[in-house]
């Protein structure tokens, strides 16, 4: 699915929120050792940078060279472009050896993957039995009642017809995603959000967030501009109601976490 994000790589880097440190501390608390993390679909390295503050080394992979080019470099992060599918030999060469990874993370990307193939790779690289896989995502940011109502109409009526079917898994908060891993301390599913990330936005920032979606690019390639003058005016009116140019956008995070066990 890399081609869906190539043309808006800069919008993605500018428009998407970072993740709260508490999320990474929670994940790290489930892995007995902190030697090596594999961040899959790293994009511009948002999650990899936080993982690098906890794990000795991070391998951060993505199929998009455009996304990887925007990722800030750190001494203990190795960014690696990978093909959409890898043999075990390629996995060992590009990522890591068998049973050598403490945690595999996938931030806002697992719904794009070939899950049966990917899970075979995860089970091969994770340390057994305590290696952990953690996938998480967010959806439409929460601003206030007026803006959120316009955003829901924009999503359901204008944007949704251009979205790839895989986005349905994210819309469903990963509750229906295939996830064949053991619960970690009784935790394996998404429920009421434990973590919320925030980003200070003005209206242009808010538009940039939506322009980073794959569906926006798909519509644009079909000659459809989703942000028509009428849509922009509707958003402007809702945004101006409270008199604040900048607003705190809240992104509740839902996640799946599991342990590889002796698979």
């Amino acid at each position: 699915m890399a081609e869906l994000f190539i043309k808006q790589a800069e919008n993605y880097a500018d428009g998407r929120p970072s993740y709260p440190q508490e999320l990474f501390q929670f994940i790290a608390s489930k892995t007995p050792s902190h030697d090596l993390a594999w961040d899959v679909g790293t994009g511009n390295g948002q999650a990899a940078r936080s993982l690098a503050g906890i794990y000795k080394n991070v391998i951060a992979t993505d199929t998009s060279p455009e996304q990887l080019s925007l990722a800030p470099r750190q001494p203990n992060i190795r960014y690696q472009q990978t093909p959409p599918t890898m043999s075990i030999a390629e996995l060992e060469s590009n990522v890591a050896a068998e049973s050598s990874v403490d945690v595999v993370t996938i931030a806002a990307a697992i719904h794009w993957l070939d899950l049966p193939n990917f899970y075979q790779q995860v089970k091969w690289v994770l340390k057994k039995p305590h290696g952990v896989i953690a996938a998480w995502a967010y959806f439409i940011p929460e601003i206030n009642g007026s803006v959120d109502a316009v955003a829901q109409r924009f999503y359901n009526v204008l944007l949704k017809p251009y979205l790839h079917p895989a986005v349905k898994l994210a819309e469903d908060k990963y509750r229906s995603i295939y996830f064949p891993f053991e619960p970690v301390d009784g935790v394996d599913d998404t429920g009421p959000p434990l973590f919320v990330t925030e980003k200070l936005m003005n209206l242009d920032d808010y538009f940039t967030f939506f322009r980073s979606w794959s569906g926006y690019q798909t519509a644009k390639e079909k000659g459809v501009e989703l942000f028509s003058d009428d849509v922009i005016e509707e958003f402007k009116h809702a945004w101006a109601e409270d008199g604040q140019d900048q607003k705190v956008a809240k992104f509740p995070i839902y996640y799946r976490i599991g342990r590889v066990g002796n698979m």
Side-chain angles (χ1 to χ4, degrees), residues 35-229:
D35 297 319
L36 180 61
W38 176 22
D39 187 42
V40 182
T42 195
N44 54 62
Q46 289 172 317
R49 295 194 295 274
S50 292
L51 289 166
I54 301 173
Y55 291 85
K56 292 178 183 177
N57 290 287
V58 176
I59 168 68
T61 63
D62 204 283
T63 57
S64 169
E66 288 80 6
Q67 290 275 10
L68 291 173
S69 70
L70 298 172
R73 270 43 188 172
Q74 290 182 214
N76 63 333
I77 302 177
R78 176 168 66 89
Y79 290 103
Q80 176 71 48
Q81 184 185 358
T82 54
T85 60
M86 289 184 286
S87 66
I88 292 299
E90 290 172 321
L91 181 64
E92 184 167 21
S93 174
N94 289 325
V95 180
E98 184 177 8
S99 302
S100 65
V101 173
D102 295 298
V103 65
V104 176
T105 58
I106 317 99
I110 197 172
H111 50 286
W112 295 116
L113 304 181
D114 174 355
L115 292 180
N117 179 63
F118 172 61
Y119 288 152
Q120 285 183 350
Q121 296 175 351
V122 170
K123 292 172 184 179
W124 191 82
V125 299
L126 278 178
K127 294 177 180 177
K128 298 173 182 61
H130 300 300
V132 165
I133 174 174
W136 67 89
Y138 49 80
F139 210 57
I140 298 173
E142 298 173 358
I143 304 291
N144 59 40
S146 297
V147 175
D148 294 352
V150 176
Q152 285 294 334
R153 290 195 296 273
F154 174 79
Y155 174 81
N156 288 316
V157 177
L158 298 178
L159 181 60
K160 196 169 186 176
Y162 296 99
L163 291 172
H164 191 280
V167 176
K168 176 62 178 176
L169 292 172
E171 183 180 347
D172 190 45
K173 302 180 180 179
Y174 290 170
R175 285 176 294 214
S176 60
I177 202 167
Y178 173 56
F179 196 74
F181 297 92
E182 297 178 3
V184 177
D185 300 333
V187 177
D188 69 350
D189 203 356
T190 183
L194 295 178
F195 309 101
V196 177
T197 189
E198 297 181 349
K199 184 177 176 69
L200 191 63
M201 289 181 159
N202 59 31
L203 186 55
D204 286 340
D205 298 328
Y206 190 70
F207 289 158
T208 297
F209 169 79
F210 278 109
R211 289 184 176 117
S212 74
W213 283 51
S214 60
Y216 177 83
Q217 185 62 41
T218 299
K220 191 173 181 180
E221 290 177 350
K222 293 179 180 294
V224 177
E225 175 50 65
L226 298 181
F227 283 110
S228 65
D229 290 344

